[in-house]
Amino acid sequence: MKIALYGNVCNNMYAIAKALRAGSSYDVHLYLPENADFNNLPENDDPELSGNYPAWIHGSRDYNLGSALLFWKNSIITELRKYDLVILSSLALALAPYLGKSRVFFFVTGGDLTVLPFMEIHRTLLYAGMAGNLKPLIYQYVQRRGIFRADKIISQPFYPFVNALQKLEIPKSKIADAYFPIIFDTQKFQFRQDAIKQLPHDIQVQLNRFSFRIFHPSRIVISNHPHLVETGQWKQNDLLVKAFSACIKKNNIKDAGLYLIDRSYGLDKGIVELKRLITKLQIEDYVVWLQPSNRKGFTRDELVDIYSCSDLVTDDYGAGWFGSICVEGFSCSKPVLSYVDDDAMRKIYEWHPFLSSNTEGGNAAFIETCYFDKEFSTRQGELGRKWVLQYHSQESAGTVYVREFERLLGQ
């Protein structure tokens, strides 16, 4: 069977392709547009691939998605129709109705299910005024057509996804009854003893300001607009800042720092608002905004070094789901503080090592414990690494993908 993947958000498709090629007899190929963001290119995970793609990875201007009105003229359609199964994510799902007899799986990544199919949500979050009505309307039309054309939808049991599927009235028979975990190369993503020496000098100087480092590399989305909450994009980063402030003031801590990334990306003016809160709390001296050379963020390789230098990794306090940041932190043997919905987690894992809370007091208590109890922090980091190896490594997660794809394709 020939399988094509297109829509490589955060290298998800690249990881899936590697897993299927390594564990099955499927002939699997990955297609990449020339204008893809660096975060969506294989060389962000595997730098040795830069300018040296294997024969199964196809990158070309001919595979650009094109404009919303003219994408069917793009040669990517002709290419994908050669395959028995096409796996699509993000805006690439708009191609689904044009793929003839090929089976189509929609691999959900977030906003492609929770935002794009809903014009009003899309317009409110990303566009302003009457001029913003046309583009969200087009995206709603093409995304819904793609969703209803898909033979299977691969999603997760967290509220934003479940809610969106219910609003679209998707039949349960179209929703894959399986969980596909994030796939990680745990050999490359692991603790590095000499990590600080590998980082640029200015980052080293910043890290050396504090002996206890909390790393919060998440996007800053603190607005609790109902659409942000519903779609799972509300991060509630301000809760972490308040908890950190409460912890260091209560215990008169002077050697702990909160590290965030100052980058040009986000759904709202969160960075400006968060800096205003930090000033109000009078903790500017304990908050460090790391500035990557690329304004869109650090590379994965740079992140491994920063995780390795951190004592606690923190992420999301809104929707109750989790993403790559948490798995990356765990893979580097660090304790991770992030709110997760335990009901949903029990459906997909036998156990998990998250320090989970969505309250200021709960987060402050976890920070305090990690600061004062080094043995606890070490154990949590070890449990996190064990969890990633058990559920998210290329070996363990790859086996799940092969098994479940074989089952779904047999239906």
Side-chain angles (χ1 to χ4, degrees), residues 243-295:
F244 173 70
S245 175
C247 178
I248 62 174
K249 290 175 180 177
K250 171 189 173 184
N251 297 284
N252 195 30
I253 294 172
K254 303 295 184 182
D255 60 347
L258 176 61
Y259 290 80
L260 303 95
I261 301 177
D262 195 351
R263 56 186 171 187
S264 59
Y265 183 74
L267 289 175
D268 65 355
K269 299 177 181 178
I271 288 181
V272 174
E273 294 176 22
L274 200 65
K275 287 182 176 179
R276 189 178 298 123
L277 173 63
I278 290 166
T279 300
K280 179 181 178 181
L281 294 172
Q282 298 182 323
I283 57 170
E284 305 102 306
D285 292 343
Y286 300 93
V287 178
V288 180
W289 291 92
L290 299 174
Q291 295 188 344
S293 55
N294 182 336
R295 290 293 293 148

Side-chain angles (χ1 to χ4, degrees), residues 6 31-38 40-41 43 53 58-66 74 76:
Y6 185 65
Y31 284 83
L32 303 168
E34 182 189 57
N35 59 353
D37 187 89
F38 179 70
N40 299 332
L41 293 175
E43 50 265 43
Y53 284 162
H58 312 275
S60 170
R61 179 184 301 176
D62 292 337
Y63 305 145
N64 290 356
L65 188 60
N74 199 305
I76 186 63

Side-chain angles (χ1 to χ4, degrees), residues 17 117 167 176 193 245 397:
K167 287 172 63 176
Q193 190 68 46
S245 175

Side-chain angles (χ1 to χ4, degrees), residues 363-379:
N363 278 273
F366 278 130
I367 293 171
E368 182 176 304
T369 300
C370 289
Y371 178 85
F372 286 109
D373 192 338
K374 305 303 181 185
E375 291 184 3
F376 172 82
S377 289
T378 299
R379 287 197 304 272

Side-chain angles (χ1 to χ4, degrees), residues 161-178:
F161 297 129
V162 174
N163 178 60
L165 291 168
Q166 290 176 344
K167 287 172 63 176
L168 292 168
E169 298 182 346
I170 303 298
K172 288 187 178 180
S173 60
K174 291 191 68 169
I175 303 170
D177 57 340

